[in-house]
Amino acid sequence: MYIVSQNLSNYGIPLPNDCIFRINLAWINDLNELKLLLKKHQSHEIFLDLPINRTKPPSNNYSLDDLVPIIKSNSNIKYFAISNVNSADYLEPFVKVLPTTVTIIPKIENAQGISNIAEIINKLPTSKKIIMLDHDDLYSSLIKQNESPLKFKDYINNLINFCTTNNVTLLRTIGVVFSDDEKRVTQYIK
């Protein structure tokens, strides 16, 4: 999978036809902006990323009820990532209402999510299992829980081993885009 961020498109960088376009809802100010972005990128498969229980900016919030009609009316939305998944129960409302054409992708961001990874994977309704790891948030959560940062590598290796053994696709961040041209502040201020 080759997934690119919507922020990349803000700088006129051409996107490959075969890439999956990720829309992180933390960076979307309102649902009209989301609809415009979906229309602009209707030729790409869409990876919609819902930040739930996000403690750092940007942190725009949308309800599942707000998003389901948009998802159902945009057949190119193929993936739906959910932040801070710690247990299978956390996925229940999404499994109930999202179309079966959308692959649910739990974002693992702390040690509890890694400890419960087998139950989380078993809750996913599709045959292809995909998870997303947020390295930065995992590391931060270890610090907040007073765990040794030295355990970070162990948690990562445990997750990699689980995914390899159980044929689970593990998505990880590879680089970011920095710019001195960024002018938006709305995403950082509530």
Side-chain angles (χ1 to χ4, degrees):
M1 296 178 79
Y2 179 56
I3 304 169
V4 299
S5 167
Q6 84 249 26
N7 289 322
L8 192 62
S9 68
N10 293 338
Y11 300 99
I13 299 170
L15 303 177
N17 291 334
D18 62 344
C19 75
I20 299 168
F21 190 73
R22 176 179 176 239
I23 300 174
N24 185 341
L25 290 167
W27 291 95
I28 301 296
N29 290 316
D30 58 50
L31 295 176
N32 286 330
E33 184 179 338
L34 172 61
K35 291 173 187 176
L36 290 171
L37 199 54
L38 287 167
K39 184 175 181 174
K40 180 179 178 183
H41 294 280
Q42 60 190 352
S43 64
H44 287 102
E45 286 188 349
I46 301 294
F47 184 108
L48 202 56
D49 194 334
L50 179 63
I52 296 178
N53 297 324
R54 186 177 170 108
T55 58
K56 62 185 179 186
S59 59
N60 293 319
N61 294 307
Y62 304 95
S63 76
L64 187 55
D65 290 338
D66 291 336
L67 295 172
V68 168
I70 294 170
I71 293 168
K72 287 182 176 180
S73 65
N74 288 274
S75 62
N76 61 328
I77 298 175
K78 299 294 184 187
Y79 307 95
F80 190 84
I82 306 159
S83 296
N84 297 300
V85 175
N86 297 328
S87 70
D89 293 340
Y90 197 79
L91 295 172
E92 186 65 33
F94 302 95
V95 171
K96 283 182 179 177
V97 300
L98 289 174
T100 57
T101 56
V102 175
T103 300
I104 297 172
I105 301 177
K107 287 177 70 178
I108 306 302
E109 304 184 47
N110 58 44
Q112 184 181 3
I114 293 173
S115 297
N116 294 330
I117 195 64
E119 76 171 45
I120 291 168
I121 291 301
N122 289 333
K123 185 68 173 181
L124 297 174
T126 53
S127 58
K128 182 171 174 95
K129 310 293 186 188
I130 304 171
I131 63 169
M132 194 173 189
L133 171 64
D134 188 317
H135 296 89
D136 295 341
D137 286 348
L138 172 60
Y139 189 85
S140 296
S141 75
L142 294 177
I143 301 298
K144 287 178 189 172
Q145 298 297 317
N146 294 317
E147 283 198 58
S148 169
L150 300 175
K151 290 186 175 183
F152 176 74
K153 189 174 180 181
D154 293 334
Y155 280 112
I156 299 281
N157 284 329
N158 289 342
L159 188 60
I160 290 169
N161 290 336
F162 174 86
C163 290
T164 301
T165 303
N166 293 283
N167 196 30
V168 175
T169 300
L170 175 59
L171 301 175
R172 297 187 277 172
T173 306
I174 303 173
V176 294
V177 175
F178 288 88
S179 172
D180 65 347
D181 194 36
E182 180 60 53
K183 305 295 185 232
R184 297 173 296 172
V185 293
T186 57
Q187 285 85 359
Y188 298 103
I189 301 170
K190 286 195 175 232

